[in-house]
C-alpha cells in the first residue's frame, strides 16, 4: 500500500511540516503536487519530482527534488513554490480569523523521469495552515482617526504591544499581526493609506496619526504600556523609523526593506517638517516582461541637499533592527540600512543593528508566504519586480521571522508574569 502523510495536519503557517511517502518500489519516480485556493478562489499550485530510496520511501527532509519548481533537499519547497497560473499574483491571506488555507497534497507515480502528472492521484491528503492560533482575539479598531485591527494573544495579559505596518499600496493587511499575537504579542495591524476614510495617496505623512495609534495601543488594558514595538516593511519601515526617532513610547523598532529618509512623502509632526526626497522617475526601469523595477528610483540620502530629510534615528529611545534582502529590487534597502548604521555610529548610538540576507528580495515576510518575485502592485496597473531567489529568499523568511520575535521579546517591556 502506498501512503502519503503530512504532519502535523493542522499548524500555523510559520511552522514546518514533515512530508513522507512510503510503499513505493525502489527507485520509483513520483510527482508531488501541492495546491490551494485563496480567499478569492484563485488556485495556487506547485510541483516537484522525486525518486524513492531503496526502501521505497521519500522523505522531503532528506530526499532531493530532481525537478519541478525547485531542486535539491527542500522540506518546505512545495509550500514555498506555490504560485497562480494567472501571472503576477501574490498569495495573501485576507481573512485570518475565518478559515485556514487548505493545502492539498497529491501524489502521482510514474515510469518515466520528470513526468507531467495526469489522471487521478495515487494518494492525496489535505492540511490546514492557519494564520492565527486558538484563543487569539481580533478587535476592530476605529477610534478617533485610527483604523486597524488589534490581535490579542490568549491567556492573561498584559502583553508586550506592537504596531505592525505594511507598505505604500495601502489597505489593511493583518496576517503578520495575527501571527505575532499567536507568538505572544498584542499586535495592532495599522492601516494608514487607502482604507476606510484614510487618505488615498501618501504625498504627506502626518506623524500625529501614528502618535495617536501609539497612544491608543499603550492605553489598552491588554498591553503592557511602558513601551511598545513597531514593525514595518517598505514604506511602513520608513514610518516605523520615524516613529522610533520621535516617539518616547517606541521601545524597539524593526525596519524591513525600508529607507532611512523621507522619500516621496513630506513628513510633518507639529511644527516639524521633513521635506520629501523626490523620486528619480527617469531611472524607473521596465523589464523585458513589462514589470516595473523601482530599485534605482530613490536617491542617495548622503547628498548634502537631502540631509534635512534624513530621519534622526540617534534620538530613538530604544534599539532599531534593519532587516534587508540583498537582492531587493523594490528599492536599494541595503544601501539605506548601511547609511542608517553609519549615522548611528556617528552619533554614538550603539543599538542599531543590520541583518542582511543574500538572494532575498523585497517581500521579506513570515515563513507562510510563498516566494513572489513579481506581482501586481495595487497602486499601478503594471506589475512590480521584487527580486530574490526561491530557496535563499524563503530560508531568509524563516530566519528573519525568528530574528523579529527574538528582538522584540528581548527589547520590549513585559509584565512580571511574561518575563522571558
Amino acid at each position: 500500500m502506498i501512503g502519503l502523510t503530512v504532519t502535523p495536519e493542522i499548524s500555523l503557517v510559520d511552522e514546518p511540516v514533515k512530508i513522507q511517502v512510503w510503499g513505493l518500489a525502489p527507485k520509483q519516480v513520483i510527482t508531488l503536487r501541492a495546491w490551494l485556493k485563496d480567499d478569492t478562489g484563485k488556485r495556487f499550485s506547485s510541483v516537484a519530482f522525486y525518486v524513492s530510496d531503496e526502501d521505497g520511501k521519500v522523505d522531503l527532509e532528506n530526499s532531493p527534488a530532481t525537478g519541478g519548481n525547485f531542486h535539491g533537499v527542500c522540506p518546505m519547497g512545495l509550500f514555498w513554490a506555490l504560485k497562480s497560473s494567472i501571472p503576477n499574483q501574490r498569495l495573501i491571506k485576507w481573512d485570518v480569523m475565518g478559515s485556514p488555507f487548505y493545502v492539498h497534497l497529491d501524489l502521482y507515480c510514474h515510469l518515466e523521469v520528470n513526468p507531467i502528472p495526469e489522471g487521478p492521484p495515487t494518494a492525496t491528503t489535505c492540511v490546514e495552515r492557519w494564520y492565527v492560533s486558538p484563543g487569539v482575539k481580533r478587535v476592530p479598531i476605529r477610534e478617533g482617526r485610527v483604523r486597524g485591527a488589534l490581535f490579542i494573544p490568549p491567556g492573561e495579559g498584559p502583553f508586550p504591544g506592537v504596531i505592525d505596518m505594511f507598505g505604500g499600496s495601502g489597505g489593511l493587511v493583518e496576517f503578520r499581526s495575527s501571527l505575532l499575537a499567536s507568538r505572544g504579542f498584542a499586535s495592532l495591524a495599522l492601516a494608514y493609506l487607502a482604507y476606510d476614510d484614510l487618505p488615498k495617496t501618501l504625498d504627506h505623512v502626518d506623524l500625529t496619526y501614528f502618535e495617536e495609534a501609539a497612544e491608543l495601543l499603550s492605553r489598552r488594558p491588554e498591553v503592557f504600556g511602558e513601551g511598545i514595538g513597531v514593525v514595518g516593511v517598505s514604506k511602513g519601515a520608513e514610518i516605523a523609523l520615524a516613529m522610533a526617532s520621535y516617539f518616547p513610547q517606541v521601545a524597539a523598532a524593526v525596519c524591513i526593506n525600508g529607507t532611512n529618509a523621507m522619500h516621496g512623502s513630506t513628513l510633518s509632526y507639529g511644527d516639524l517638517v521633513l521635506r520629501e526626497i523626490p523620486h528619480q522617475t527617469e531611472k524607473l526601469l521596465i523589464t523585458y516582461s513589462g514589470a516595473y523595477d523601482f530599485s534605482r528610483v530613490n536617491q542617495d540620502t548622503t547628498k548634502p541637499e537631502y540631509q534635512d530629510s534624513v530621519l534622526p534615528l540617534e534620538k530613538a529611545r530604544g534599539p532599531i533592527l534593519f532587516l534587508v534582502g540583498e537582492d531587493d529590487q523594490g528599492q536599494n534597502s541595503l544601501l539605506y540600512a548601511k547609511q542608517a548604521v553609519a549615522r548611528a555610529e556617528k552619533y554614538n548610538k550603539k543599538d542599531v543593528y543590520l541583518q542582511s540576507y543574500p538572494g532575498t528580495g523585497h517581500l521579506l515576510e513570515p515563513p507562510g508566504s510563498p516566494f513572489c518575485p513579481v506581482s501586481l502592485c495595487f497602486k499601478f496597473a503594471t506589475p512590480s519586480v521584487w527580486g530574490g531567489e526561491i530557496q535563499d529568499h524563503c530560508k531568509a523568511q524563516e530566519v528573519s521571522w525568528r530574528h523579529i520575535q527574538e528582538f522584540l521579546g528581548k527589547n520590549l517591556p513585559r509584565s512580571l508574569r511574561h518575563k522571558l
Side-chain angles (χ1 to χ4, degrees):
M1 178 180 176
I2 296 174
L4 165 65
T5 60
V6 183
T7 52
E9 295 181 349
I10 301 174
S11 62
L12 289 173
V13 296
D14 61 356
E15 298 173 341
V17 297
K18 186 177 181 66
I19 301 174
Q20 296 175 301
V21 182
W22 72 92
L24 302 167
K27 304 302 179 182
Q28 171 72 59
V29 177
I30 67 168
T31 297
L32 287 174
R33 169 173 282 168
W35 63 272
L36 61 80
K37 290 186 178 180
D38 72 1
D39 293 340
T40 67
K42 295 188 185 74
R43 180 181 169 118
F44 289 72
S45 64
S46 61
V47 65
F49 311 129
Y50 293 90
V51 178
S52 65
D53 63 17
E54 295 294 341
D55 296 322
K57 297 179 181 179
V58 171
D59 184 336
L60 268 61
E61 290 187 349
N62 305 299
S63 303
T66 60
N69 295 132
F70 55 90
H71 291 75
V73 177
C74 195
M76 294 297 292
L78 288 166
F79 295 83
W80 292 354
L82 288 165
K83 61 181 179 180
S84 174
S85 59
I86 304 171
N88 306 319
Q89 299 296 304
R90 178 181 172 193
L91 182 62
I92 296 180
K93 184 62 176 172
W94 296 107
D95 179 14
V96 296
M97 299 296 292
S99 64
F101 277 144
Y102 294 98
V103 185
H104 301 261
L105 275 293
D106 296 334
L107 163 68
Y108 300 84
C109 297
H110 306 274
L111 297 177
E112 68 274 18
V113 178
N114 291 0
I116 303 299
E118 296 178 353
T122 304
T124 186
T125 189
C126 180
V127 296
E128 296 181 14
R129 301 285 281 172
W130 284 88
Y131 282 78
V132 61
S133 63
V136 170
K137 298 177 183 177
R138 179 187 184 275
V139 180
I141 298 297
R142 200 175 195 277
E143 184 175 325
R145 293 184 297 163
V146 179
R147 304 289 180 263
L150 175 62
F151 291 86
I152 303 168
E156 186 177 0
F159 304 98
V162 177
I163 289 178
D164 179 40
M165 296 176 292
F166 277 77
S169 293
L172 179 60
V173 186
E174 303 179 6
F175 66 83
R176 192 167 56 212
S177 277
S178 63
L179 285 172
L180 283 169
S182 301
R183 300 305 179 192
F185 301 93
S187 183
L188 172 59
L190 181 64
Y192 59 90
L193 172 70
Y195 177 78
D196 198 57
D197 57 353
L198 296 174
K200 302 301 181 185
T201 62
L202 204 65
D203 300 329
H204 171 229
V205 174
D206 179 2
L207 207 56
T208 61
Y209 171 80
F210 301 91
E211 183 176 46
E212 188 177 337
E215 291 173 348
L216 181 154
L217 182 63
S218 299
R219 290 195 306 267
R220 294 284 307 197
E222 306 93 344
V223 174
F224 192 66
E226 295 184 7
I228 62 170
V230 185
V231 179
V233 62
S234 193
K235 190 66 175 182
E238 190 176 289
I239 295 172
L241 186 60
M243 294 172 69
S245 299
Y246 292 111
F247 298 168
Q249 301 99 321
V250 176
V254 180
C255 302
I256 307 168
N257 283 332
T259 75
N260 63 327
M262 297 307 302
H263 288 271
S265 304
T266 294
L267 178 144
S268 67
Y269 183 44
D271 295 331
L272 173 71
V273 176
L274 269 64
R275 298 295 179 188
E276 67 169 298
I277 300 175
H279 293 309
Q280 302 177 101
T281 54
E282 71 278 5
K283 292 189 177 182
L284 176 65
L285 299 179
I286 309 296
T287 68
Y288 70 91
S289 63
Y292 287 167
D293 180 342
F294 290 96
S295 59
R296 296 170 177 82
V297 168
N298 287 350
Q299 304 208 43
D300 183 355
T301 60
T302 61
K303 293 181 178 180
E305 62 266 36
Y306 298 140
Q307 290 310 294
D308 291 342
S309 300
V310 177
L311 292 161
L313 80 173
E314 68 275 5
K315 296 181 179 180
R317 160 189 169 182
I320 301 168
L321 174 62
F322 289 91
L323 300 179
V324 171
E326 294 183 10
D327 190 36
D328 183 356
Q329 294 180 38
Q331 60 192 4
N332 195 344
S333 55
L334 181 58
L335 171 66
Y336 298 126
K338 288 180 176 179
Q339 291 176 355
V341 171
R343 182 181 179 102
E345 292 174 351
K346 175 183 176 180
Y347 287 95
N348 201 32
K349 182 172 174 59
K350 300 183 182 301
D351 54 0
V352 175
Y353 309 101
L354 167 59
Q355 180 66 58
S356 67
Y357 309 97
T360 301
H362 188 69
L363 297 181
L364 184 58
E365 298 181 330
S369 304
F371 177 54
C372 182
V374 183
S375 72
L376 288 172
C377 180
F378 299 127
K379 292 170 64 178
F380 308 101
T382 303
S384 299
V385 179
W386 305 121
E389 300 292 336
I390 181 171
Q391 294 197 37
D392 288 339
H393 185 97
C394 291
K395 288 177 182 176
Q397 291 192 154
E398 294 180 345
V399 174
S400 63
W401 186 233
R402 292 196 298 271
H403 286 160
I404 290 171
Q405 294 175 70
E406 291 168 359
F407 178 79
L408 294 175
K410 177 182 178 181
N411 293 295
L412 292 186
R414 293 170 176 260
S415 65
L416 291 177
R417 71 167 61 91
H418 293 292
K419 289 292 184 183
L420 293 177

